[in-house]
Amino acid sequence: MRQFTPFISKSKYLNGLQCHKLLWFHYNAKDQIPAFDAHTQAIFDQGHLVGELAKKLYPGGIEVARGERDFGKILELSKGALSQRKPLFEAAFKSGNAFARVDILNPVGRNDWEIVEVKSSTEVKDVNLHDLALQRYAYEGAGLSITKCFILHINNEYVRKGEIEPKKLFAKTDVTNEVGDLLRSVPSNLRTMVDVIRQKSFPNIEIGQHCNDPYGCPLQELCWKFLPEHNPLTLYYFKKDKAFELIHDGHLDIRKLPPSVNLGDKQQIQIDALRTGRPHIDKEGIHDFLERIEYPIYYLDFETFGTAIPLYDDVRPYEQIPFQFSLHIVEAEGKKPKHESFLADGKSDPRPGILKRLKKLLGAKGSIVAYNAPFEKDKLKKACDVFTEYSNWYQSIEPRFVDLLAPFKSFHYYNPDQCGSASIKAVLPALTGKSYEALEIAEGGTASLEFLRVTFGDVDEKERQKVRRQLEEYCTLDTEGMAMIVEELGKMAR
Ligand code: SF4
């Protein structure tokens, strides 16, 4: 019987380097691989925008086989385009089992070419080098002379001033030597991968750090489902390699770990709370923390977004820009919280509006409580560094910040329902019974994607308003939740 010959593209090659089981599923049981989630899709969309901008650095370039789906036709059109000696975008070549479609193939001299791979990251990663090694292998095997390999990535020193300047936004790194070193291993890697793909059943591979390196594997739901809720990966600040070692040795439930396992104080508290089913409460620690909070209390939370291509002036690539805040103000003990909020409306820089409102609302005294306060402080400071008329004001409010994460990070309180997490998403339901579950938008990553989608995307007004309401609900719960948490801590300390 003749065996089928799989073509291995650069993405499948990288899958194969990450895990042979993942590779096998791609060719033999693709229907069991879940579709990309919204977050992954947004990363792809961003990569597409970055790729389009990079083409501006190669004027006169030709889009090869755009929209063409027929594999043979794409190869034929790519080969035909070579004679024009112009930059080629997405030209495809194959050699043996390897198939590659490079972002930019740039002509040099009379017969040579450079490979330019565009990445939306701010640095060259190992995975990019493997990616290029496969491409170079396919191209050279198809008869092209490749003299150099480059990664064109985002320059994180760039600060937008006016129109985006692609020449400044991108940094070009020569990786010819590194790719040359990896090139030698490509043929044997490909042979092994072809053997894996042709196996009747998937290879038996244990879960491990590779499930998230270099990318989160989409098969985790399938491969990790044997883990119980309280498994070693949930141990607070426990090294992941050690957690996987315990799992491989059959220690799946942290309540049953042998005494020989070296645990820190917090991990021991976590396990003891689980075993007894009761929360751990350090009354004195909670009391000392609450002593630092003064009325009126301002519970503040920001939502932010960061894009590879800065949307506004004075912004760097991926800089987190606040677009929304929620503020609950409690004037005095026992008083009902008053709610204020801000959600950027439109496409202009939201920072001046946020600073103006907060300067008015935060008053001259009282604590500003945030969950993981360094984040809120950093966003405010960076905004004030640009809008310098607020610099003095920021200096005056900075000492008033109190971090509500602190008592949970210190394990002054730990509830077994937190499952080893001190985040507000784990603490709020465990401590107060109030949860994020019923909300359409239930975490910061989704909030930022949804804001960008309804603000800059092509959506109708009804959808836009619906999402804006959901954003308000989500951010409001963060600060309302903080007020509830402080109230509960107060009861414990009394
Ligand atoms: S979850 Fe881990 S073991 Fe399973 S296919 Fe993915 S990388 Fe491989």
Side-chain angles (χ1 to χ4, degrees):
M1 196 177 75
R2 215 170 144 257
Q3 287 187 301
F4 85 107
T5 306
F7 278 115
I8 298 181
S9 66
K10 57 180 186 174
S11 65
K12 300 297 175 290
Y13 183 72
L14 297 181
N15 287 155
L17 290 181
Q18 181 170 358
C19 179
H20 284 165
K21 186 173 176 183
L22 173 62
L23 180 75
W24 187 92
F25 268 80
H26 265 295
Y27 287 83
N28 295 286
K30 201 166 172 26
D31 55 328
Q32 290 191 49
I33 300 180
F36 297 123
D37 60 19
H39 187 72
T40 311
Q41 189 57 51
I43 292 171
F44 289 150
D45 293 347
Q46 182 144 268
H48 183 70
L49 288 178
V50 168
E52 288 302 308
L53 203 57
K55 289 176 188 167
K56 293 201 170 63
L57 294 174
Y58 295 86
I62 301 171
E63 295 281 354
V64 181
R66 187 168 226 174
E68 180 60 61
R69 303 198 72 79
D70 182 82
F71 187 60
K73 193 95 181 136
I74 295 170
L75 291 171
E76 194 187 309
L77 288 168
S78 300
K79 201 169 170 192
L82 289 175
S83 60
Q84 299 194 45
R85 302 298 297 158
K86 290 197 169 159
L88 304 179
F89 306 142
E90 304 274 330
F93 293 89
K94 76 175 173 69
S95 170
N97 294 94
F99 167 79
R101 217 169 168 179
V102 81
D103 289 334
I104 299 163
L105 191 62
N106 195 38
V108 245
R110 282 170 63 91
N111 295 307
D112 299 332
W113 298 87
E114 291 170 349
I115 289 178
V116 183
E117 180 69 11
V118 183
K119 295 290 167 203
S120 44
S121 55
T122 55
E123 57 183 6
V124 175
K125 298 174 185 165
D126 283 352
V127 63
N128 306 146
L129 303 174
H130 286 290
D131 180 338
L132 270 166
L134 191 270
Q135 297 186 34
R136 183 167 182 173
Y137 174 84
Y139 275 50
E140 290 187 335
L144 274 77
S145 165
I146 304 293
T147 54
K148 292 257 176 208
C149 295
F150 295 98
I151 305 262
L152 194 63
H153 57 90
I154 298 286
N155 166 22
N156 59 1
E157 300 286 306
Y158 173 72
V159 179
R160 181 171 182 164
K161 302 274 180 200
E163 284 300 303
I164 290 287
E165 298 164 274
K167 273 193 181 144
K168 292 184 181 168
L169 174 69
F170 288 103
K172 195 173 166 191
T173 303
D174 184 343
V175 290
T176 313
N177 292 340
E178 293 89 333
V179 170
D181 290 345
L182 291 173
L183 200 56
R184 283 186 277 279
S185 58
V186 174
S188 64
N189 285 341
L190 283 170
R191 274 196 301 277
T192 311
M193 288 181 199
V194 170
D195 287 346
V196 168
I197 293 165
R198 285 174 173 164
Q199 282 173 21
K200 288 218 159 44
S201 58
F202 58 79
N204 204 359
I205 290 176
E206 283 187 329
I207 63 167
Q209 302 248 62
H210 66 278
C211 298
N212 281 305
D213 182 18
Y215 305 114
C217 175
L219 283 176
Q220 283 186 18
E221 211 166 297
L222 181 88
C223 296
W224 292 35
K225 69 177 177 206
F226 70 96
L227 290 175
E229 187 183 11
H230 300 290
N231 63 72
L233 289 166
T234 67
L235 271 172
Y236 188 76
Y237 268 78
F238 196 68
K239 285 210 170 102
K240 290 280 176 273
D241 56 340
K242 296 260 177 267
F244 280 116
E245 248 174 55
L246 287 172
I247 291 169
H248 296 158
D249 288 344
H251 301 300
L252 300 189
D253 189 328
I254 55 174
R255 284 168 290 202
K256 297 177 192 157
L257 288 182
S260 56
V261 179
N262 218 346
L263 296 170
D265 292 350
K266 292 171 186 171
Q267 291 143 3
Q268 197 56 60
I269 289 174
Q270 182 183 349
I271 291 174
D272 290 345
L274 255 182
R275 284 180 180 146
T276 61
R278 283 197 307 274
H280 163 86
I281 300 171
D282 164 13
K283 232 172 145 168
E284 205 178 306
I286 293 172
H287 178 268
D288 290 350
F289 169 74
L290 291 176
E291 285 284 287
R292 290 162 43 203
I293 301 181
E294 286 173 15
Y295 286 97
I297 308 173
Y298 300 86
Y299 295 98
L300 176 66
D301 181 62
F302 282 144
E303 298 307 324
T304 63
F305 67 79
T307 52
I309 304 168
L311 295 177
Y312 316 114
D313 278 359
D314 300 303
V315 175
R316 288 171 191 271
Y318 295 109
E319 183 176 341
Q320 292 295 313
I321 300 297
F323 63 87
Q324 177 178 21
F325 73 71
S326 174
L327 183 70
H328 273 88
I329 306 167
V330 181
E331 290 291 345
E333 196 168 352
K335 283 263 165 83
K336 227 176 145 255
K338 194 173 116 201
H339 185 234
E340 301 282 351
S341 65
F342 177 97
L343 177 55
D345 187 13
K347 298 178 185 179
S348 59
D349 189 342
R351 292 173 298 178
I354 285 182
L355 292 174
K356 193 171 170 200
R357 279 286 305 284
L358 280 181
K359 189 175 177 193
K360 212 165 146 193
L361 290 168
L362 287 176
K365 61 179 175 60
S367 296
I368 304 166
V369 178
Y371 211 96
N372 191 21
F375 180 82
E376 267 70 21
K377 275 169 42 172
D378 181 64
K379 301 312 147 238
L380 262 186
K381 182 176 181 314
K382 287 211 168 89
C384 294
D385 286 347
V386 173
F387 301 96
T388 49
E389 61 273 35
Y390 292 94
S391 296
N392 289 342
W393 168 72
Y394 175 73
Q395 297 298 333
S396 72
I397 64 159
E398 197 269 343
R400 291 168 54 200
F401 271 92
V402 176
D403 189 357
L404 186 52
L405 174 61
F408 301 100
K409 237 167 84 175
S410 310
F411 276 53
H412 295 326
Y413 177 88
Y414 181 79
N415 186 309
D417 290 345
Q418 286 171 233
C419 281
S421 168
S423 99
I424 191 169
K425 306 287 182 293
V427 168
L428 181 65
L431 190 56
T432 70
K434 186 114 182 159
S435 109
Y436 289 78
E437 262 173 25
L439 296 182
E440 284 294 330
I441 294 174
E443 49 86 38
T446 311
S448 112
L449 290 180
E450 284 296 87
F451 173 76
L452 289 171
R453 183 175 71 86
V454 300
T455 308
F456 297 92
D458 189 15
V459 291
D460 64 37
E461 189 52 25
K462 204 170 148 204
E463 171 72 1
R464 202 173 91 88
Q465 291 307 334
K466 187 185 87 187
V467 170
R468 287 177 66 82
R469 272 195 304 279
Q470 291 167 353
L471 284 166
E472 289 275 11
E473 279 169 19
Y474 166 62
C475 199
T476 300
L477 181 55
D478 271 342
T479 50
E480 188 188 8
M482 279 193 263
M484 291 166 80
I485 288 170
V486 168
E487 208 179 302
E488 287 302 316
L489 291 179
K491 284 182 204 162
M492 281 177 228
R494 276 197 288 274

